[in-house]
C-alpha cells in the first residue's frame, strides 16, 4: 500500500508470461513480494479495486469517489446502447446476482454473440463487462482470467458509494496521479499516458477546465507540481512538490560520487507498463534506451521478443531480458538477453552478482525451482558467471 500511495495506481494487464504487469511493478520495489498479497488487498480486504485510470488500473478503494467518473461515463454510454438493446438479459443477470450472489459469464448459458469492442462476444460476457464498467457490478474476484461479478453495494461501504466529487475535481485527481506515478512527465508524450483525461485543448462550449492543458495549469498554480529542467533534455518536466526532496538527495549523491540511494547498484526487471517506462521518448532522450513492448507486434517484425523487460542496473538501463515462468517444468526460463551498445555485463563490476540476485528474486516469485539460461554462443561468458553464482 505504501507503493500504491507513492505511485497513485498500478496498471493491470491480464497477460501472465513472466508475471502480471502490476505484480512485476511491485516485485521491482518490494523485497520478497508475492502476488497473493495484492490479491488479498483486492478481493478480501478490498483496500484496492479495479477501475479505469491509465487503462485498467488498481487504485485505493478510499479514492473511489475520485475515480467514479469512469463509471458515470460508461453508464451514460451503455444506457443509450447495450442496456437498452439487451434489457431482458440485463434484468436477468442482475436478478440472478441479487438472488444467488457472484456470477461469472461461464455460470450462465451462452447467448448469441454481439459486436463488442475488438470482436464479437457472447452477450452474457459482454453485458457483465458493461455492468461492471458502469459501476452497477463490481469485480468480486478473479480465478485466473475468469472474472466474477457482484453488486457494488455488497463490495464497497455505502458511505463511500454515496460520496460524490464533481467532475472537475475527479479529472484534477486523475491527472495528478499520472505525474505522481511517472515522476518526470512533461507537457506531451504518447496518447496512452493521458487516457481518460480528455483532449489537450477544450472543445467549443466546454468549461475551460475540461482540457489537460488547463488542468495542468491549475496543478502548477496550486503548487502540486513544479516545473523543472533536466540537463540535456528539451522541454520542461514536472515533479510533485512533495517529492522535491528526492531530487535534492539525488543531486547531493551525484555531487558526492555516491551510488543512487547510497547503496551499491542492484538489478530489477521492469514491467512493460511500469510507470518508469511510460514515456518512451524520455527513455530515449534521457537514457538513450529505445523500448517497444512487442507483445502485439507480428512475430516477423519484432526486434527483440514477445514479452521483453528492460533491465535497470542502479540508475542505468543496460539491456533487455525475456523471462518466462514455466510452472509445468518448474523453471524460470530466460529465452534471450540483449545488451545496450557499450555495456559489458561480464566486465562491469557487481553486475553479474546483482543480475543473479534479480533472477533468484524472480524465481522465488514464480514459485519454481530452477533457472534456465540461454545457450547462445554470444552469452556464454556471462551465463557461465551467472551459473557459478546460482550454484
Amino acid at each position: 500500500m505504501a507503493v500504491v500511495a507513492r505511485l497513485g495506481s498500478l496498471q493491470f494487464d491480464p497477460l501472465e508470461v513472466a508475471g502480471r504487469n502490476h505484480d512485476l511493478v511491485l516485485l521491482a520495489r518490494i523485497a520478497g513480494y508475492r502476488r497473493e498479497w495484492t490479491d488479498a488487498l483486492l478481493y478480501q480486504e478490498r483496500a484496492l479495486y479495479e477501475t479505469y485510470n491509465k487503462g485498467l488500473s488498481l487504485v485505493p478503494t478510499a479514492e473511489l469517489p475520485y475515480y467514479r467518473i469512469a463509471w458515470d461515463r460508461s453508464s451514460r454510454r451503455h444506457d443509450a446502447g447495450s442496456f437498452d438493446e439487451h434489457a431482458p438479459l440485463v434484468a436477468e443477470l442482475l436478478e440472478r446476482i441479487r438472488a444467488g450472489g457472484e456470477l461469472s459469464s461461464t455460470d450462465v448459458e451462452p447467448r448469441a454473440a454481439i459486436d463488442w469492442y475488438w470482436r464479437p462476444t457472447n452477450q452474457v460476457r459482454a453485458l457483465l463487462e458493461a455492468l461492471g464498467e458502469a459501476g452497477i457490478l463490481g469485480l468480486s474476484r478473479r480465478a485466473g482470467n475468469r472474472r466474477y461479478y457482484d453488486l457494488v453495494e455488497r463490495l464497497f461501504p455505502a458511505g463511500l458509494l454515496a460520496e460524490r466529487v464533481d467532475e472537475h475535481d475527479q479529472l484534477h485527481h486523475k491527472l495528478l496521479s499520472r505525474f505522481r506515478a511517472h515522476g518526470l512527465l512533461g507537457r506531451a508524450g504518447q496518447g496512452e499516458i493521458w487516457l481518460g483525461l480528455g483532449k489537450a485543448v477544450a472543445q467549443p462550449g466546454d468549461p475551460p477546465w475540461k482540457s489537460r492543458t488547463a488542468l495542468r495549469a491549475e496543478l502548477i498554480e496550486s503548487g502540486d507540481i513544479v516545473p523543472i529542467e533536466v540537463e540535456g533534455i528539451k522541454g520542461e518536466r514536472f515533479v510533485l512538490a512533495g517529492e522535491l526532496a528526492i531530487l535534492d538527495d539525488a543531486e547531493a549523491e551525484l555531487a558526492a560520487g555516491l551510488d543512487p540511494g547510497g547503496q551499491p547498484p542492484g538489478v530489477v526487471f521492469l514491467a512493460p507498463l511500469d510507470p518508469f517506462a511510460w514515456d518512451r521518448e524520455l527513455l530515449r532522450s534521457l537514457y538513450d534506451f529505445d523500448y517497444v513492448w512487442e507483445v502485439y507486434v507480428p512475430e516477423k517484425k519484432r526486434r527483440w521478443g514477445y514479452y521483453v523487460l528492460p533491465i535497470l542496473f542502479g540508475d542505468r538501463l543496460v539491456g533487455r531480458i525475456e523471462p518466462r515462468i514455466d510452472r509445468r517444468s518448474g523453471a524460470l526460463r530466460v529465452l534471450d538477453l540483449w545488451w545496450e551498445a557499450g555495456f559489458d555485463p561480464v566486465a562491469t563490476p557487481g553486475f553479474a552478482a546483482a543480475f543473479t540476485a534479480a533472477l533468484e528474486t524472480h524465481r522465488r516469485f514464480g514459485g519454481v525451482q530452477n533457472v534456465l539460461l540461454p545457450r547462445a554462443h554470444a552469452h556464454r561468458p556471462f551465463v557461465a558467471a551467472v551459473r557459478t553464482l546460482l550454484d
Side-chain angles (χ1 to χ4, degrees), residues 13-15 273 292-299 302 305-307:
D13 187 88
L15 286 177
L273 300 173
V292 178
W293 189 32
E294 297 180 308
V295 70
Y296 300 115
V297 175
E299 185 174 0
R302 290 177 192 146
Y306 176 68
Y307 205 95

Side-chain angles (χ1 to χ4, degrees), residues 36-48:
E36 293 81 10
W37 299 352
T38 307
D39 287 347
L41 290 168
L42 279 166
Y43 310 127
Q44 296 171 28
E45 299 174 40
R46 303 208 180 275
L48 299 173

Side-chain angles (χ1 to χ4, degrees), residues 197-204 206-216:
L197 290 167
K199 296 185 180 297
V201 179
Q203 300 300 296
D206 281 345
W209 54 263
K210 207 168 186 178
S211 73
R212 298 198 306 270
T213 302
L215 287 168
R216 184 182 62 243

Side-chain angles (χ1 to χ4, degrees), residues 51-359:
T51 192
Y52 284 90
N53 188 21
K54 180 187 176 291
L56 186 59
S57 300
L58 312 182
V59 305
T61 303
E63 295 178 16
L64 185 152
Y66 288 91
Y67 286 104
R68 66 177 304 147
I69 186 172
W71 285 357
D72 295 339
R73 287 177 171 178
S74 292
S75 180
R76 289 192 293 269
R77 185 175 74 251
H78 290 304
D79 281 345
S82 54
F83 292 164
D84 183 53
E85 186 177 352
H86 305 284
L89 182 54
V90 170
E92 176 188 335
L93 293 174
L94 290 176
E95 182 53 36
R96 285 193 184 214
I97 292 173
R98 286 191 192 96
E102 66 172 21
L103 194 70
S104 163
S105 62
T106 58
D107 295 329
V108 181
E109 59 278 10
R111 312 295 165 88
I114 57 175
D115 289 336
W116 193 251
Y117 297 123
W118 301 283
R119 63 180 183 273
T121 300
N122 167 23
Q123 286 181 58
V124 173
R125 175 179 174 179
L127 292 173
L128 285 173
E129 286 182 1
L131 289 163
E133 290 172 359
I136 298 167
L137 300 179
L139 204 63
S140 60
R141 63 185 174 97
R142 285 179 181 264
N145 281 329
R146 183 178 299 170
R147 289 165 291 183
Y148 286 82
Y149 297 91
D150 205 344
L151 301 173
V152 290
E153 54 264 35
R154 291 174 178 166
L155 302 177
F156 304 114
L160 197 64
L161 292 173
E163 186 178 342
R164 294 287 175 167
V165 174
D166 68 43
E167 187 172 304
H168 168 260
D169 289 345
Q170 290 187 63
L171 291 172
H172 189 281
H173 183 84
K174 284 164 69 72
L175 180 59
L176 184 60
S177 79
R178 309 297 166 86
F179 287 104
R180 178 186 305 282
H182 182 272
L184 274 177
L185 285 180
R187 295 178 181 272
Q190 56 267 39
E192 58 264 28
I193 295 175
W194 312 109
L195 280 173
L197 290 167
K199 296 185 180 297
V201 179
Q203 300 300 296
D206 281 345
W209 54 263
K210 207 168 186 178
S211 73
R212 298 198 306 270
T213 302
L215 287 168
R216 184 182 62 243
E218 289 180 4
L219 292 175
I220 297 170
E221 185 178 357
S222 65
D224 288 308
I225 59 174
V226 178
I228 64 164
E229 292 183 0
V230 181
E231 184 180 354
I233 304 300
K234 292 181 180 179
E236 283 181 323
R237 294 278 160 175
F238 297 94
V239 175
L240 264 65
E243 295 183 352
L244 285 172
I246 300 173
L247 194 60
D248 293 338
D249 289 345
E251 289 181 328
E253 287 168 356
L254 283 173
L258 300 175
D259 290 318
Q263 301 291 328
V267 165
V268 293
F269 309 138
L270 295 175
L273 300 173
D274 192 299
F276 188 105
W278 279 0
D279 191 342
R280 306 294 203 240
E281 180 54 40
L282 183 65
L283 292 186
R284 285 189 286 268
S285 59
L286 185 58
Y287 294 94
D288 194 24
F289 189 82
D290 185 19
Y291 180 60
V292 178
W293 189 32
E294 297 180 308
V295 70
Y296 300 115
V297 175
E299 185 174 0
K300 291 182 179 179
K301 295 184 177 181
R302 290 177 192 146
R303 296 166 62 187
W304 296 290
Y306 176 68
Y307 205 95
V308 173
L309 311 180
I311 300 172
L312 180 68
F313 176 51
D315 60 357
R316 301 167 60 193
L317 289 165
V318 299
R320 297 163 176 80
I321 183 172
E322 186 172 12
R324 186 161 296 178
I325 297 170
D326 187 348
R327 292 189 175 86
R328 205 172 267 184
S329 66
L332 173 65
R333 297 178 179 272
V334 179
L335 303 187
D336 211 343
L337 294 161
W338 299 263
W339 306 112
E340 290 294 276
F343 179 75
D344 187 333
V346 177
T348 302
F351 179 74
F355 181 88
T356 304
L359 282 178

